[in-house]
Amino acid sequence: MARAKRKLQRSTKVHDRRSNELPRNAEVAAVEVDDPLALEPGEKIVALRSLRNDPLGRLHSHHQIDEAQYRGGRAFQDDWERAERGPQAVDQTREYVDGGRPREPITERQRKAVLRLNRAERELGADGSSLVHDVLVLGLTMEQVGQRRALRGQRWIDYFARRFRECLDRLALIYGFATQKR
């Protein structure tokens, strides 16, 4: 007797791998991402994204900004992290030299990130680049941005939110995630 052939199922099924136990003060949103363990390309899983110190992720998960604005903001954050040369850990494996260590050379990626940041600052202007820095780098809310500028009230919060979305539109154009409207 011949054995029955099995049919291969090719469905892009979304697997739910969300945690059931979260900390008491967790602020998360469900998001679909590519499955890193997928056998077929295009398979997705549902994961949880933390929103606690991520105003850009919060705006995106609440559908207040679109995908191009979100990706433009993330590209700005990535360039800022690349260009920043903050405090570094001491390497205990290196031989001790009296007088300190030589400066590390600037890499090509850092140089290009600084050039893109300079272009973004020129295009956004002083007020726009300050607003983008406050929200994307420092992680401030619109209310905190208003308090830093001594401008309180719902009208100012709405103004800063609208202005921030305009800046995200400009960043999406700069980084190539959107095209100019005609």
Side-chain angles (χ1 to χ4, degrees):
M1 182 163 160
R3 191 180 230 184
K5 291 187 178 181
R6 293 184 189 177
K7 289 185 179 179
L8 292 176
Q9 293 181 348
R10 294 187 184 227
S11 65
T12 57
K13 196 175 182 182
V14 177
H15 299 282
D16 189 3
R17 296 188 182 148
R18 290 180 283 184
S19 174
N20 294 329
E21 298 176 12
L22 294 172
R24 189 174 332 138
N25 57 353
E27 297 176 29
V28 296
V31 63
E32 278 189 22
V33 295
D34 291 329
D35 189 357
L37 304 174
L39 299 176
E40 297 290 325
E43 289 186 37
K44 304 277 187 186
I45 61 172
V46 176
L48 293 179
R49 171 175 41 190
S50 176
L51 302 176
R52 180 177 296 156
N53 294 324
D54 186 14
L56 191 66
R58 180 182 308 281
L59 290 172
H60 187 252
S61 68
H62 290 235
H63 304 290
Q64 294 174 348
I65 60 173
D66 61 14
E67 187 67 25
Q69 292 171 323
Y70 174 74
R71 292 181 67 189
R74 285 290 187 233
F76 179 86
Q77 288 176 327
D78 186 48
D79 279 347
W80 184 267
E81 289 173 3
R82 268 195 199 128
E84 187 179 50
R85 296 182 72 146
Q88 298 174 350
V90 177
D91 187 4
Q92 299 292 337
T93 60
R94 296 178 81 180
E95 184 177 328
Y96 175 76
V97 177
D98 194 21
R101 59 180 187 192
R103 293 184 59 187
E104 292 182 15
I106 295 175
T107 64
E108 188 65 20
R109 290 178 70 191
Q110 287 174 322
R111 190 183 72 75
K112 288 182 180 179
V114 168
L115 291 175
R116 283 190 299 267
L117 288 173
N118 288 340
R119 179 175 176 226
E121 186 174 355
R122 276 192 316 273
E123 299 241 352
L124 294 174
D127 185 48
S129 62
S130 174
L131 178 62
V132 166
H133 181 271
D134 287 348
V135 176
L136 295 182
V137 176
L138 300 179
L140 301 179
T141 64
M142 297 304 153
E143 186 176 356
Q144 292 169 332
V145 169
Q147 288 174 356
R148 285 187 73 171
R149 290 168 170 77
L151 302 169
R152 294 176 179 19
Q154 188 61 42
R155 293 181 100 182
W156 283 110
I157 292 171
D158 294 343
Y159 167 75
F160 287 127
R162 189 172 52 253
R163 179 74 174 109
F164 180 66
R165 282 193 296 274
E166 291 171 3
C167 292
L168 286 177
D169 284 334
R170 179 58 63 183
L171 287 176
L173 287 171
I174 292 168
Y175 286 103
F177 297 116
T179 57
Q180 188 73 33
K181 292 181 181 177
R182 293 183 184 202

